[in-house]
Amino acid sequence: MNGQEHIISASATLVEALRRLNTLPGGAMTLFVTDDESGRVAGTLTDGDIRRAIIRGMSLDGCAGEAACRSFRFLPEGTPDVDALRRFRTEGITLIPVLDKAGRAVRIIDLSRTHTELPLRAILMAGGMGERLRPMTLTTPKPLLEIEGKAIIDYNIEALAACGIRDISVCTRYLADQIDRHFATPVAGVTVKCVREEIPLGTIGAATLTGTPDEGETLVMNSDLLTTISFEEMYLRHKDSGADITIGVIPYQVSVPYAILSLDGENVTGIEEKPSYSYYANAGIYIFSNKILRMLRPGERTDATDLIAEAIEAGHKTTYYPIKGTWIDVGSPADFRQASELMRHHRAMKDA
């Protein structure tokens, strides 16, 4: 958000400040007081600050600058500090001004509207035919199937937008015109870009169509997932580990209904009755360093697993992030019913 409604001149009266506070939307009832000449943010002003100023003897004709609190939190202009934003959120600070080198407000981050600001671009893969969901997908691409009145892909766009991700591309092929029309209107305030595969390019080959920058990171995910993954936690793990690739994973358990032998050549060294084995399974959500995505060869069919294997062989660090909470790959009628039931439950809980 630009946040001009939260900016007030130091020379404005307290009456003017109260009027401005009274017109602010939502719960972020704070003004940022700027010097008249330099435009530098000098402090913050709330109705509590005004009450305290009046108790000290200031009149309502007094200047906002004299009542302002000079101690306030801010971020410097540039790459967002995700750790700092998380800390501010934990402390209950809602509005964070982003200041240039001269101390002027470039914009204001409202943490009541945006959960964080991740320095990521995002690519959603939406080219599949959804054959296991036929007949529903005969005339509607799977990402546009509605669960509780909302397209599956829009749940993911909204989650990305809530993390401050605004550069979002969707790779399409099957019934692509419908997806193009769907995103002709912004979703969650984001203008989503659609790029189309003319030939099938696998689960990640179409990323070459989005114009990958030299630097930075990109979040790549399947568009037909329903998940409550914390993109913020996944990103912080990616950065803290110094990884080139972070794979979102889910626990997966295999139970064998028989007794399993342990062998050493021809000798049986043990026997285990109906064992269970736990694994981590690929969840179809990744954070790639852009240098890895630039390894893709334009026009060549490539699956994400192939790219990851190539990167590992080349010595690039790859790690994983276990997803906590909901993860449903809406790939079958049973998955669709489960996702619908889950969202009905969430809506009922929210409305209660």
Side-chain angles (χ1 to χ4, degrees), residues 13-309:
T13 66
L14 295 187
V15 169
E16 291 176 61
L18 286 171
R19 289 196 185 104
R20 290 285 299 282
L21 286 168
N22 195 48
T23 61
L24 290 178
M29 308 296 286
T30 301
L31 297 173
F32 293 95
V33 179
T34 59
D35 289 335
D36 292 336
E37 294 182 4
S38 66
R40 180 180 62 86
V41 176
T44 59
L45 189 66
T46 65
D47 56 357
D49 293 320
I50 295 174
R51 285 197 304 271
R52 285 184 285 274
I54 292 172
I55 291 172
R56 291 197 306 268
M58 280 187 64
S59 73
L60 289 175
D61 292 328
C63 293
E66 296 179 25
C69 174
R70 300 287 170 167
S71 175
F72 62 96
R73 306 292 189 91
F74 68 92
L75 288 178
E77 187 178 14
T79 301
D81 186 334
V82 179
D83 279 310
L85 285 171
R86 192 176 197 182
R87 193 164 56 249
F88 296 153
R89 196 174 66 241
T90 301
E91 295 172 4
I93 300 171
T94 302
L95 294 181
I96 310 295
V98 178
L99 307 184
D100 63 17
K101 292 181 179 179
R104 297 183 294 262
V106 177
R107 59 193 180 91
I108 293 171
I109 300 172
D110 185 347
L111 293 178
S112 70
R113 299 181 182 180
T114 302
H115 184 70
T116 184
E117 288 211 350
L118 302 182
L120 295 170
R121 58 196 287 268
I123 303 173
L124 281 74
M125 297 299 173
M129 297 178 67
E131 292 177 302
R132 289 184 296 156
L133 278 170
R134 289 182 175 176
M136 288 189 290
T137 53
L138 287 173
T139 56
T140 303
K142 182 164 65 167
L144 295 189
L145 292 178
E146 291 192 355
I147 292 179
E148 287 298 288
K150 185 185 300 182
I152 295 171
I153 195 172
D154 285 355
Y155 285 100
N156 294 313
I157 298 294
E158 289 175 359
L160 293 169
C163 291
I165 300 174
R166 293 290 183 268
D167 184 351
I168 302 176
S169 298
V170 174
C171 298
T172 66
R173 178 167 167 76
Y174 177 66
L175 299 178
D177 288 342
Q178 290 189 37
I179 299 177
D180 290 344
R181 289 194 296 272
H182 179 78
F183 287 117
T185 302
V187 174
V190 176
T191 300
V192 176
K193 300 181 287 291
C194 293
V195 296
R196 187 176 305 191
E197 303 174 49
E198 297 303 327
I199 58 173
L201 293 174
T203 59
I204 203 167
T208 59
L209 303 174
T210 67
T212 305
D214 292 336
E215 304 296 328
E217 284 88 22
T218 299
L219 187 146
V220 181
M221 67 181 294
N222 298 338
S223 64
D224 53 2
L225 302 175
L226 197 65
T227 179
T228 56
I229 184 175
S230 171
F231 293 118
E232 180 185 56
E233 287 185 8
M234 185 176 180
Y235 170 78
L236 289 173
R237 181 174 180 127
H238 177 81
K239 296 301 290 183
D240 291 345
S241 66
D244 297 306
I245 304 171
T246 298
I247 306 169
V249 297
I250 55 168
Y252 187 77
Q253 191 170 62
V254 178
S255 297
V256 181
Y258 309 106
I260 298 299
L261 303 184
S262 299
L263 304 177
D264 181 8
E266 295 181 351
N267 299 320
V268 176
T269 60
I271 186 166
E272 186 177 1
E273 184 70 31
K274 298 180 181 178
S276 292
Y277 302 99
S278 295
Y279 301 94
Y280 278 126
N282 181 4
I285 304 173
Y286 318 89
I287 295 178
F288 288 98
S289 168
N290 285 342
K291 67 182 179 184
I292 303 297
L293 289 183
R294 292 180 70 82
M295 292 168 58
L296 291 166
R297 292 165 284 278
E300 184 174 309
R301 182 187 178 104
T302 309
D303 288 333
T305 50
D306 298 328
L307 177 61
I308 292 168

